[in-house]
Amino acid sequence: MAELAAFAFVINDEMEELEIPLMNVPKIPGYVDTVVPLYNPAEFKAHFRLSKAQVEDVIVALGPVYQNALCTKMPITHSVLACLWTLSNQESYRGVADRFGISKSALMNHLHHFCTLVNTHLGYHIFWPVGELGFARAGFPHTVCAVDGCHIPIRKPHVANPVGYLNRKNFYSGILTGFCTRNQRFCHITVGHPGSWHDARAFRLTPVAQTLDLDPLSIVPAGMHIIGDSAYPLLPQLMKPYRDNGHLTAGQKRFNRKLNSARVCIEHTFGILKAKFRRLRYLQMSSIERITSAVSACCILHNICIDPQDHTEHPTEPELNQEPHPPQPNDAQACNYRDNICNNL
């Protein structure tokens, strides 16, 4: 499905590039001023993902820097709503531009500027947790957060080696390495590693992995851990399932079952992220800088608008993360710590 969706968007992109610009094409008049005010709260959030109050908070936070940094006659309310609509839907950039009465190039400039400001001024919505947040109820206590990787389909990027972004399913993607709490909020993200990389390689280059090497107790207290799937290395502060060699004990099978049950929250988080911000199902951008900025902004907005009642959708490329993983190195101390957890579950 992901390959078909990416192919369809690539064809659409190529057709748009071949279109001859039309002069004096009328835009949709008064959408923000006359139509948006008629939306009830549920309709507004369905279209823009944030509630009216949350949008107002974003405008208040970004207003001063937004108005001073971008010379445009477009009111900030119109600009923020246009950017939220763009990230929340898979409508073409040309269609969104017509809806909000601006040109396609102006929309792209507003979108990049909006994402940059969200990352700069609202990034505090993603923060590292203190203590355990609900994993004991899932049957795997002393867990700080869960980690996993997610592929974001993209255009062929403008880089020296674009083949590096061609993943094993033969479409271009960037990797979002996400850490989340049990309540499906991101507590750390790293975006932009090539889609051809293995999750373990992308993890090694995250600030979290580097901190675990230098000062692990600063982010994972003694006796606690992060949980991940078999793609990740086994570390004293990072637990993963036992490798199923056909001879697992009943205790080891129970350990795997409970860990996977607790770890599924990160998959749900990715599902909610892509369900809310559907532009991430295929990001029509070629600049890695802009791709990274857009994905990071969506993760921040996800934390702002997350609702405990949200339901997930199936990931667009589940097969990417379900294939057998190459063996990862195990730490002897980590093996003993895992065995101790297994014996006490």
Side-chain angles (χ1 to χ4, degrees), residues 111-272:
L111 178 63
H112 177 57
H113 188 61
F114 172 76
C115 291
T116 300
L117 291 181
V118 167
N119 292 324
T120 302
H121 298 281
L122 297 176
Y124 62 86
H125 285 282
I126 295 180
F127 54 89
W128 194 255
V130 177
E132 179 184 299
L133 296 176
F135 283 97
R137 293 194 299 273
F140 209 85
H142 310 302
T143 299
V144 175
C145 60
V147 60
D148 202 1
C150 175
H151 285 258
I152 307 295
I154 60 174
R155 277 180 175 178
K156 182 179 179 179
H158 292 162
V159 294
N161 181 29
V163 177
Y165 287 83
L166 196 63
N167 61 45
R168 61 179 177 269
K169 290 301 177 181
N170 207 35
F171 64 88
Y172 294 100
S173 65
I175 298 176
L176 163 60
T177 302
F179 300 77
C180 83
T181 58
R182 182 64 184 172
N183 59 2
Q184 299 170 343
R185 292 178 181 270
F186 289 108
C187 56
H188 184 82
I189 57 169
T190 299
V191 188
H193 290 133
S196 64
W197 286 17
H198 188 266
D199 282 352
R201 182 180 180 186
F203 170 77
R204 284 197 299 271
L205 296 180
T206 64
V208 171
Q210 294 166 4
T211 303
L212 290 179
D213 283 339
L214 300 175
D215 186 16
L217 296 180
S218 65
I219 58 173
V220 181
M224 301 192 72
H225 44 258
I226 301 169
I227 55 175
D229 63 19
S230 299
Y232 296 97
L234 181 65
L235 304 172
Q237 296 81 23
L238 175 58
M239 292 292 99
K240 70 174 189 176
Y242 286 95
R243 191 173 184 86
D244 190 355
N245 55 9
H247 302 286
L248 294 182
T249 66
Q252 290 171 334
K253 291 179 180 178
R254 182 174 61 252
F255 175 94
N256 286 0
R257 185 170 62 253
K258 287 183 176 292
L259 185 148
N260 289 329
S261 177
R263 189 193 61 81
V264 76
C265 65
I266 183 63
E267 297 179 1
H268 290 171
T269 302
F270 287 143
I272 293 173

Side-chain angles (χ1 to χ4, degrees), residues 86-109:
T86 303
L87 295 173
S88 303
N89 297 277
Q90 291 180 291
E91 183 178 3
S92 69
Y93 292 130
R94 192 181 305 279
V96 178
D98 284 347
R99 178 183 297 275
F100 287 90
I102 56 177
S103 68
K104 179 181 174 182
S105 60
L107 173 66
M108 297 302 296
N109 289 333

